[in-house]
Amino acid sequence: MSANTTNNTSAVLSLRWENGNLYILDQTRLPIEIVEIRLDSIEQVWEAIQQLRVRGAPAIGVAAAYGLVVGMKPLIHLDLDKFLVRLKENAGYLNSSRPTAVNLSWALRRMQDFATVQSPQVISASQLYARLVDEAVRIHQEDRAICRAIGENGLPLIRDGMGVLTHCNAGALATSELGTATAPLYLAHERGMRFRVYSDETRPLLQGARLTTWELQRAGLDVTLICDNMAAFVMSQGLVDLCIVGCDRVAANGDAANKIGTLGVAIIAQHYNIPFYVACPSSTVDLQTATGREIVIEERAADEVLFFGARRTGPEGAKVCNPSFDVTPHELIAGFITDRGIIQPPYAESLAQHFG
Ligand code: MRU
C-alpha cells in the first residue's frame, strides 16, 4: 500500500483507477488530512472496505469491482477454468468485508456473471482479465451517471430558502461523484438556488461531521453541522423542510437500511410533518429481501463507541452495543429518489414495477 498526502482541494474523488492501479481517498483521515492510498492486493482492498477507508454503499460496490480485478491480476497465468474458480473465491472473500450494503454483493455478482458470459469467447485468462477491467470501469462510470440522474430527479424537491437535513454521508465521498442524498443539493446549488443544509454529525464514526460537512462546505454550500441529538430541536424550530438520507439496502416492501440514527431522524420528521426521502441507485434495491427484518445489520467494534477519536470516553470493560445501521420502516418514507425517478408508495408494487 502506498500513500500520498496532498493539500489539493479540487474535486473530491472517493476512488480512481489509473494505469491498472486502484487509488482511494483514505476517508478515516478526513477532514484532517487528504491522503490517497494505492491498494495493491485484494487483502488491502478488503481491509480498506472493512475499516471504512472507502465507504458508502455505491463506493463500496465500485471498490469491490476493482478489488476483484486487483486480486485476479497475479492469476492471469492460470488456465481459464482455474481462473474462474479463483474469481469465485476472491468474490466471496471481498463480499465478507461488510454485510449490510447490498451494492457490495451486487457489484461482485455482476463481475462474476460477466465472466461467465465472456469466458466462452476468450482464449486465455489474461484476455478475460482485460475484459473484467473494462467491466469494473463501466460500473464506475455508470455510478457517476446514476448519481447525476438521482440529482436531476430529486431537484424538484429543493426550493429556495428551505432547510434540508441529512444524516451520515451519502455524498460524493460515498459514490463516484455528486453522491445520492447530496446529488439534488449539488445540482440545486449549481443552478443558483439558496438553501440551508443541516448535517447530523453521525456518531460513532462521525461521517456527517468529518465527511458530509467537509465536502459540502468546500463545494460552497450553506451547511450547518449539528450533533445527532440536536435534530429534534432543529426540526421543532421550523428550520427543516425536508430530510434526505442515503441508503444501504432497500427491501422489497420499501423498508430501508441506512446509517444508525436514520430511524430516529425519520420518526422525528414524521412528528413534525416533514417529508423524509431516501435517495439511492437501483443497485441498492434488493427485491430478494422481503422486508427490513431480514437485512443483516453490521455490528462493529466496541472501541468505536468507547472512544471519541483517540480519546477514551467510556470506562474500560463497559458493555457496548454498536449496530452500524438501522432500518426505517417504509411507512415513514415519503419516497425513494432514484436514477429511475421518485418512487412512491405503495412500495411493494412500485419497487417491483421499476426494479423487478
Ligand atoms: O458505514 P458507512 O459510512 O459505509 O455508512 C454509509 C451510509 O450509511 C450511507 O448513508 C449509505 O451507504 C448511502 S451512501 C450513498
Coordinates of all heavy atoms in Angstrom, one line a residue, residues 41-78:
S41 N -3.3 -5.1 -3.3 CA -3.6 -6.5 -3.2 C -5.1 -6.6 -2.8 O -5.7 -5.6 -2.2 CB -2.8 -7.2 -2.1 OG -3.1 -6.7 -0.8
I42 N -5.7 -7.8 -3.0 CA -7.1 -8.0 -2.6 C -7.3 -7.8 -1.1 O -8.3 -7.3 -0.6 CB -7.6 -9.3 -3.2 CG1 -9.2 -9.4 -3.0 CG2 -7.0 -10.5 -2.5 CD1 -9.8 -10.5 -3.8
E43 N -6.3 -8.2 -0.3 CA -6.3 -8.1 1.1 C -6.4 -6.7 1.5 O -7.1 -6.3 2.5 CB -5.1 -8.8 1.8 CG -5.1 -10.3 1.7 CD -4.6 -10.8 0.3 OE1 -4.1 -10.0 -0.5 OE2 -4.8 -12.0 0.1
Q44 N -5.6 -5.8 0.8 CA -5.7 -4.4 1.2 C -7.0 -3.8 0.8 O -7.5 -2.9 1.5 CB -4.6 -3.7 0.4 CG -3.2 -3.9 1.0 CD -2.1 -3.3 0.1 OE1 -2.3 -2.6 -0.9 NE2 -0.8 -3.5 0.6
V45 N -7.6 -4.3 -0.3 CA -9.0 -3.8 -0.6 C -10.0 -4.2 0.5 O -10.8 -3.4 0.9 CB -9.4 -4.3 -2.0 CG1 -10.8 -3.8 -2.3 CG2 -8.4 -3.8 -3.1
W46 N -9.9 -5.5 0.9 CA -10.8 -6.0 1.9 C -10.6 -5.1 3.2 O -11.6 -4.7 3.8 CB -10.4 -7.4 2.2 CG -11.4 -8.1 3.2 CD1 -12.4 -8.9 2.8 CD2 -11.4 -8.1 4.6 NE1 -13.1 -9.4 3.9 CE2 -12.5 -8.9 5.0 CE3 -10.6 -7.5 5.6 CZ2 -12.8 -9.1 6.4 CZ3 -11.0 -7.7 6.9 CH2 -12.0 -8.5 7.3
E47 N -9.4 -4.9 3.6 CA -9.1 -4.1 4.8 C -9.7 -2.7 4.6 O -10.3 -2.1 5.6 CB -7.6 -4.1 5.1 CG -7.2 -3.5 6.4 CD -7.0 -2.0 6.5 OE1 -7.0 -1.4 5.4 OE2 -6.7 -1.5 7.6
A48 N -9.5 -2.1 3.5 CA -9.9 -0.7 3.2 C -11.5 -0.6 3.3 O -12.0 0.4 3.9 CB -9.5 -0.2 1.9
I49 N -12.2 -1.6 2.9 CA -13.6 -1.6 3.0 C -14.0 -1.8 4.4 O -14.9 -1.1 5.0 CB -14.3 -2.6 2.0 CG1 -14.0 -2.3 0.6 CG2 -15.8 -2.7 2.3 CD1 -14.5 -3.4 -0.4
Q50 N -13.4 -2.8 5.1 CA -13.8 -3.1 6.4 C -13.5 -2.0 7.4 O -14.3 -1.7 8.3 CB -13.1 -4.4 6.9 CG -13.8 -5.2 7.9 CD -13.8 -4.6 9.3 OE1 -12.8 -4.0 9.6 NE2 -14.9 -4.8 10.0
Q51 N -12.4 -1.3 7.2 CA -12.0 -0.2 8.1 C -12.7 1.2 7.7 O -12.3 2.2 8.3 CB -10.5 0.0 8.1 CG -9.7 -1.2 8.8 CD -10.1 -1.2 10.2 OE1 -10.0 -0.2 10.9 NE2 -10.4 -2.4 10.7
L52 N -13.5 1.2 6.6 CA -14.2 2.4 6.2 C -13.2 3.4 5.6 O -13.5 4.6 5.7 CB -15.0 3.0 7.4 CG -16.4 2.4 7.6 CD1 -16.4 0.9 7.8 CD2 -17.0 3.1 8.8
R53 N -12.1 2.9 5.1 CA -11.3 3.9 4.3 C -12.0 4.3 3.1 O -12.0 5.4 2.6 CB -9.9 3.3 4.0 CG -9.1 2.8 5.2 CD -7.7 2.3 4.8 NE -7.2 1.5 5.8 CZ -6.7 2.1 7.0 NH1 -6.7 3.4 7.1 NH2 -6.3 1.3 7.9
V54 N -12.7 3.3 2.5 CA -13.6 3.6 1.4 C -14.9 3.1 1.9 O -15.0 2.0 2.4 CB -13.2 2.9 0.1 CG1 -13.0 1.4 0.2 CG2 -14.2 3.3 -1.1
R55 N -16.0 3.9 1.8 CA -17.2 3.5 2.5 C -18.4 4.3 1.8 O -18.1 5.1 0.9 CB -17.3 3.8 4.0 CG -16.5 4.9 4.6 CD -17.0 6.3 4.3 NE -18.5 6.4 4.5 CZ -19.2 7.2 3.9 NH1 -18.8 8.0 2.9 NH2 -20.5 7.3 4.1
G56 N -19.6 3.9 2.2 CA -20.8 4.4 1.4 C -21.1 3.3 0.4 O -20.2 2.9 -0.3
A57 N -22.4 2.9 0.4 CA -22.8 1.8 -0.4 C -22.3 1.7 -1.9 O -21.7 0.8 -2.3 CB -24.3 1.6 -0.3
P58 N -22.6 2.8 -2.7 CA -22.1 2.7 -4.1 C -20.6 2.7 -4.2 O -20.1 1.9 -5.0 CB -22.7 4.0 -4.7 CG -23.8 4.4 -3.8 CD -23.4 4.0 -2.4
A59 N -19.9 3.4 -3.4 CA -18.4 3.4 -3.5 C -17.8 2.0 -3.1 O -16.8 1.6 -3.6 CB -17.8 4.5 -2.6
I60 N -18.5 1.4 -2.1 CA -18.0 0.1 -1.7 C -18.2 -0.9 -2.9 O -17.3 -1.7 -3.1 CB -18.9 -0.4 -0.5 CG1 -18.5 0.3 0.8 CG2 -18.6 -1.9 -0.2 CD1 -19.5 0.0 2.0
G61 N -19.3 -0.8 -3.6 CA -19.5 -1.6 -4.8 C -18.5 -1.4 -5.8 O -17.9 -2.4 -6.4
V62 N -18.2 -0.2 -6.1 CA -17.2 0.1 -7.2 C -15.8 -0.4 -6.7 O -15.1 -1.0 -7.5 CB -17.2 1.7 -7.5 CG1 -16.1 2.0 -8.5 CG2 -18.5 2.1 -8.0
A63 N -15.5 -0.1 -5.4 CA -14.2 -0.5 -4.9 C -14.1 -2.1 -5.0 O -13.0 -2.6 -5.3 CB -14.0 -0.1 -3.5
A64 N -15.2 -2.8 -4.7 CA -15.1 -4.2 -4.8 C -14.9 -4.7 -6.2 O -14.2 -5.7 -6.4 CB -16.4 -4.8 -4.2
A65 N -15.6 -4.1 -7.1 CA -15.4 -4.5 -8.5 C -13.9 -4.3 -8.9 O -13.3 -5.3 -9.5 CB -16.3 -3.7 -9.5
Y66 N -13.3 -3.2 -8.6 CA -11.9 -3.0 -8.9 C -11.0 -3.9 -8.0 O -10.0 -4.4 -8.5 CB -11.5 -1.6 -8.6 CG -11.9 -0.5 -9.7 CD1 -12.5 0.6 -9.3 CD2 -11.6 -0.8 -11.0 CE1 -12.9 1.6 -10.3 CE2 -12.0 0.2 -12.0 CZ -12.6 1.3 -11.6 OH -12.9 2.3 -12.6
G67 N -11.5 -4.2 -6.8 CA -10.7 -5.0 -5.9 C -10.6 -6.4 -6.4 O -9.6 -7.1 -6.3
L68 N -11.7 -6.9 -7.1 CA -11.7 -8.2 -7.7 C -10.6 -8.3 -8.8 O -9.9 -9.2 -8.9 CB -13.1 -8.5 -8.2 CG -13.4 -10.0 -8.5 CD1 -13.1 -10.9 -7.4 CD2 -14.9 -10.1 -9.0
V69 N -10.6 -7.2 -9.6 CA -9.6 -7.1 -10.6 C -8.2 -7.1 -10.1 O -7.3 -7.8 -10.5 CB -9.9 -5.8 -11.5 CG1 -8.7 -5.5 -12.3 CG2 -11.1 -6.0 -12.3
V70 N -8.0 -6.3 -9.0 CA -6.7 -6.3 -8.3 C -6.3 -7.7 -7.9 O -5.1 -8.2 -8.1 CB -6.7 -5.3 -7.1 CG1 -5.4 -5.5 -6.3 CG2 -6.9 -3.9 -7.6
G71 N -7.3 -8.4 -7.3 CA -7.0 -9.8 -6.8 C -6.7 -10.8 -7.9 O -6.0 -11.8 -7.7
M72 N -7.3 -10.6 -9.1 CA -7.1 -11.5 -10.2 C -5.8 -11.3 -11.0 O -5.4 -12.2 -11.7 CB -8.3 -11.5 -11.1 CG -9.6 -11.9 -10.5 SD -9.5 -13.4 -9.5 CE -9.3 -14.7 -10.8
K73 N -5.3 -10.1 -10.9 CA -4.1 -9.8 -11.7 C -3.0 -10.8 -11.6 O -2.4 -11.2 -12.6 CB -3.6 -8.4 -11.4 CG -2.7 -7.8 -12.4 CD -2.4 -6.4 -12.1 CE -1.4 -5.8 -13.1 NZ -1.0 -4.5 -12.9
P74 N -2.6 -11.2 -10.4 CA -1.5 -12.2 -10.3 C -1.9 -13.6 -10.8 O -1.0 -14.4 -10.8 CB -1.2 -12.2 -8.7 CG -2.0 -11.2 -8.1 CD -3.1 -10.8 -9.0
L75 N -3.1 -13.8 -11.2 CA -3.6 -15.1 -11.5 C -3.8 -15.3 -13.0 O -4.3 -16.3 -13.5 CB -4.9 -15.5 -10.8 CG -4.8 -15.3 -9.2 CD1 -6.2 -15.5 -8.6 CD2 -3.8 -16.3 -8.7
I76 N -3.4 -14.3 -13.8 CA -3.7 -14.4 -15.3 C -2.9 -15.5 -16.0 O -3.2 -15.9 -17.1 CB -3.5 -13.1 -16.0 CG1 -2.1 -12.5 -15.7 CG2 -4.5 -12.0 -15.6 CD1 -1.8 -11.3 -16.6
H77 N -1.9 -16.1 -15.3 CA -1.1 -17.2 -16.0 C -1.9 -18.5 -15.8 O -1.6 -19.5 -16.5 CB 0.2 -17.3 -15.3 CG 0.1 -17.7 -13.8 ND1 -0.1 -16.7 -12.9 CD2 0.1 -18.9 -13.2 CE1 -0.3 -17.3 -11.7 NE2 -0.2 -18.6 -11.8
L78 N -2.9 -18.6 -15.0 CA -3.7 -19.8 -14.8 C -4.5 -20.2 -16.0 O -4.8 -19.3 -16.9 CB -4.7 -19.7 -13.6 CG -4.1 -19.5 -12.2 CD1 -5.3 -19.3 -11.2 CD2 -3.3 -20.7 -11.8

